[in-house]
């Protein structure tokens, strides 16, 4: 039973534009949400997080938005750079466990 | 601070064998979690340890087990290996101050291949 869903397997964006990655969840008990960036055969790298009591968190080019009523999370990357090309995972925390989406592969083209 | 380290990085075993993977958390982190990544199922939670106690366990068979030592280092063991156990096994550590949700930082993973 997939409690965290990333419905777009891939996304292509031009350099300099905004990348928007989306994530939906079903469990209202999740208390913390995170975005990770991952390259093949490597561990996920933490990007940004947000507590369930917040609706926005910003860190440099990365902003995460949380809409609890819609159970929806999004990651905005502005401006997008070719080095941002990777697979991005949304994760939701509950009882010491992270529940991951299946990932969105982002390609930023020059 | 050094990051999460995992050994070995690569492992090849045959069906029926058992395997032990090791994880050293970031210094000062007392929570260690294990995840399995496969192409079909994605990243799935195996179990989490805090101060040598398993606090949560994912939906995996009893062949998957783990433990944590007093220095917070952790091991996971898979017995009677099956072909479907081939995966990238990831360890993550967190400071988990006072039981609050903390960011989990991942190691590079151990790639297990079962033949």
């Amino acid at each position: 039973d997939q409690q965290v869903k990333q419905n777009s397997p891939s996304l292509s964006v031009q350099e300099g534009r905004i990348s928007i990655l989306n994530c939906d969840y079903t469990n209202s008990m999740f208390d913390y949400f995170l975005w990770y960036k991952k390259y093949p055969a490597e561990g996920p790298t933490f990007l940004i997080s947000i507590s369930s009591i917040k609706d926005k968190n910003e860190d440099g080019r990365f902003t995460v938005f949380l809409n609890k009523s819609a159970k929806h999370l999004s990651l905005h990357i502005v401006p997008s750079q070719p080095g941002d090309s990777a697979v991005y995972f949304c994760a939701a925390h509950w009882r010491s466990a992270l529940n991951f989406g299946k990932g969105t592969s982002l390609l930023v083209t020059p | 601070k050094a990051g999460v380290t995992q050994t070995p990085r690569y492992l090849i075993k045959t069906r029926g064998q058992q395997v032990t993977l090791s994880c050293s958390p970031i210094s000062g982190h007392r929570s260690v979690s294990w995840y399995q990544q496969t192409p079909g199922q994605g990243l799935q939670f195996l179990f989490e340890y805090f101060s040598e106690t398993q606090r949560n366990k994912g939906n995996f068979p009893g062949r998957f087990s783990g433990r944590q030592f007093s220095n917070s280092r952790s091991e996971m063991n898979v017995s009677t290996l099956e072909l479907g156990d081939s995966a990238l096994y990831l360890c993550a550590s967190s400071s988990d101050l006072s039981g609050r949700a903390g960011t989990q930082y991942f190691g590079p993973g151990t790639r297990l291949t079962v033949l």
Side-chain angles (χ1 to χ4, degrees), chain A residues 31-32 34 36 38 41-44 46 49 89 93-98 100 102, chain B residues 9 33 35 37 40-41 43 45 48 55-56 88 90 101-104 106-108:
Chain A
D31 57 4
Y32 194 63
L34 309 92
Y36 288 88
K38 190 179 185 301
E42 293 184 9
F46 169 71
S49 62
F89 288 92
H93 175 274
W94 183 53
R95 292 183 62 216
S96 307
L98 291 181
F100 283 88
K102 291 288 180 76
Chain B
R9 291 293 312 279
S33 302
Y35 296 83
Q37 185 184 27
Q41 299 299 318
L43 277 152
F45 172 73
E48 187 259 357
R55 293 196 299 188
N56 197 359
L88 181 66
L90 293 158
T103 299
Q104 294 187 15
F106 284 82

Side-chain angles (χ1 to χ4, degrees), chain B residues 27-75:
Chain B
S27 177
H29 285 190
R30 295 167 65 188
S31 169
V32 174
S33 302
W34 289 88
Y35 296 83
Q36 180 197 64
Q37 185 184 27
T38 58
Q41 299 299 318
L43 277 152
Q44 292 188 291
F45 172 73
L46 280 157
F47 28 67
E48 187 259 357
Y49 288 86
F50 181 84
S51 292
E52 302 178 66
T53 300
Q54 186 183 91
R55 293 196 299 188
N56 197 359
K57 188 178 191 302
N59 189 23
F60 279 83
R63 299 185 298 107
F64 291 82
S65 63
R67 60 178 177 168
Q68 186 181 33
F69 302 96
S70 58
N71 62 358
S72 294
R73 192 176 68 84
S74 177
E75 289 181 347

Side-chain angles (χ1 to χ4, degrees), chain A residues 12-52:
Chain A
S12 183
V13 172
Q14 278 192 315
E15 181 179 6
R17 302 274 186 137
I18 184 171
S19 295
I20 300 176
L21 295 93
N22 295 302
C23 178
D24 296 299
Y25 62 95
T26 57
N27 189 346
S28 58
M29 299 298 291
F30 289 141
D31 57 4
Y32 194 63
F33 301 89
L34 309 92
W35 284 94
Y36 288 88
K37 178 179 177 181
K38 190 179 185 301
Y39 296 108
E42 293 184 9
T45 300
F46 169 71
L47 282 174
I48 192 168
S49 62
I50 187 167
S51 165
S52 61

